């Protein structure tokens, strides 16, 4: 009876090559996350410098980019230090709302004349165009697929609900006739009343839910980025023969 042949065990240099590749991948991913953070933060800083800071901080897009800068900055730090990545419920939420703000802005601006060059235009370009493109590229090129889940939806919707509550309380506390009492016209209680404002918010919430569901579906269809591979384990004995595999 012929003795079973034993396969060759993985060589140490194979594992070393994998670890070098993994470190290089982490450096590239960390740099990409840091660039997203820089774009979002630059837009916020320029917008704050170009106008009244307290008024600027009532805008959903500014607060969302500030949140995204924190999320992707932390993600870059963990990635470059070899730490565990942030939960996808955080990174996915930042992706969702930065993309939603950019998409909504460009749909609303269709057919309008562009503003004259200046800090405000630069801020708008970063907040509504560069940041959404940056988070989308980060998602497609640097983030593993199939990590977003439908169960994240209730947690994600807490963010716009908290923003709506903040805007309504702020408007209620400010005296009548105050400039910029409400950040957006469709949230102006003096003009529409609370029932219509809440109806506007509900419609936007439903649209956001549909967009989030589409994003989750696309996340489960896209391929793994950057050709990331896992080390293959070789068999100690050939298939079909009893014993250790």
């Amino acid at each position: 009876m012929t003795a079973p042949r034993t396969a060759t065990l993985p060589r140490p240099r194979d594992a070393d090559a994998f670890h070098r590749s993994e470190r290089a991948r982490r450096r590239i991913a960390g740099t990409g996350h840091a660039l997203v953070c820089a774009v979002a933060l630059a837009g916020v800083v320029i917008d704050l410098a170009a106008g009244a800071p307290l008024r600027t901080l009532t805008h959903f897009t500014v607060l969302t980019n500030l949140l995204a800068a924190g999320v992707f900055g932390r993600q870059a730090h963990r990635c470059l230090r070899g730490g565990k990545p942030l939960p996808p419920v955080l990174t996915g939420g930042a992706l969702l709302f930065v993309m939603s703000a950019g998409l909504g802005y460009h749909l609303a601006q269709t057919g309008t004349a562009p503003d004259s060059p200046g800090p405000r235009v630069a801020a708008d370009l970063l907040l509504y165009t560069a940041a959404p493109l940056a988070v989308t590229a980060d998602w497609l090129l640097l983030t593993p697929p199939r990590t977003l889940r439908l169960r994240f939806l209730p947690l994600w919707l807490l963010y716009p609900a908290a923003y709506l509550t903040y805007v309504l309380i702020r408007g209620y506390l400010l005296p009548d006739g105050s400039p910029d009492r409400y950040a957006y016209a469709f949230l102006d209680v003096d003009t529409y009343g609370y029932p219509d404002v809440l109806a506007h918010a509900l419609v936007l919430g439903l649209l956001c839910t549909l967009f989030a569901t589409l994003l989750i579906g696309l996340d489960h269809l896209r391929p793994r980025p950057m050709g990331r591979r896992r080390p293959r384990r070789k068999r100690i004995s050939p298939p079909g023969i009893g014993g250790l595999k």
Side-chain angles (χ1 to χ4, degrees):
M1 184 174 178
T2 305
R5 292 178 298 174
T6 302
T8 306
L9 291 171
R11 291 173 293 183
R13 64 182 181 183
D14 294 336
D16 292 341
F18 170 77
H19 290 305
R20 285 195 301 270
S21 174
E22 184 67 10
R23 285 194 295 269
R25 187 197 66 81
R26 279 184 170 274
R27 284 194 296 269
I28 294 172
T31 303
H33 300 326
L35 288 175
V36 176
C37 171
V39 170
L41 189 59
V44 172
V45 171
I46 294 174
D47 207 19
L48 288 172
L54 293 180
R55 173 181 174 273
T56 300
L57 288 174
T58 64
H59 292 167
F60 180 82
T61 304
V62 172
L63 295 175
T64 299
N65 275 265
L66 192 60
L67 173 66
V71 168
F72 284 98
R74 183 59 175 167
Q75 184 81 313
H77 180 267
R78 289 193 175 193
C79 195
L80 294 172
R81 292 296 183 92
K84 186 178 179 181
L86 291 176
V89 65
L90 290 179
T91 55
L95 168 71
L96 168 65
F97 291 115
V98 171
M99 290 179 65
S100 299
L103 183 61
Y105 173 83
H106 286 288
L107 290 176
Q109 293 296 314
T110 301
T112 60
D115 297 331
S116 57
R120 181 70 65 187
V121 174
D124 288 347
L125 180 63
L126 288 169
L127 293 172
Y128 296 107
T129 303
L133 290 176
V135 297
T136 303
D138 184 280
W139 172 56
L140 293 175
L141 301 177
L142 302 176
T143 307
R146 294 175 288 280
T147 57
L148 303 182
R149 300 286 185 268
L150 287 174
R151 67 173 182 269
F152 296 166
L153 285 175
L155 295 174
W156 287 344
L157 291 176
L158 288 176
Y159 174 62
Y163 174 76
L164 176 64
T165 304
Y166 159 66
V167 168
L168 294 180
I169 291 176
R170 177 181 179 273
Y172 177 79
L173 295 176
L174 289 176
D176 295 340
S178 298
D180 304 313
R181 189 178 178 190
Y182 296 97
Y184 301 98
F186 62 87
L187 296 179
D188 192 333
V189 176
D190 294 335
T191 302
Y192 296 103
Y194 282 104
D196 285 348
V197 165
L198 294 177
H200 297 162
L202 179 60
V203 171
L204 289 176
L206 291 175
L207 291 175
C208 184
T209 302
L210 290 175
F211 183 58
T213 304
L214 175 63
L215 196 65
I216 292 170
L218 292 175
D219 185 61
H220 285 258
L221 294 176
R222 66 188 182 93
R224 177 175 286 273
M226 296 182 62
R228 183 178 178 181
R229 296 180 178 179
R230 295 180 179 179
R232 294 179 297 177
R233 292 182 178 180
K234 295 185 178 180
R235 293 177 178 269
I236 297 178
S237 59
I241 299 177
L244 195 60
K245 293 287 192 291

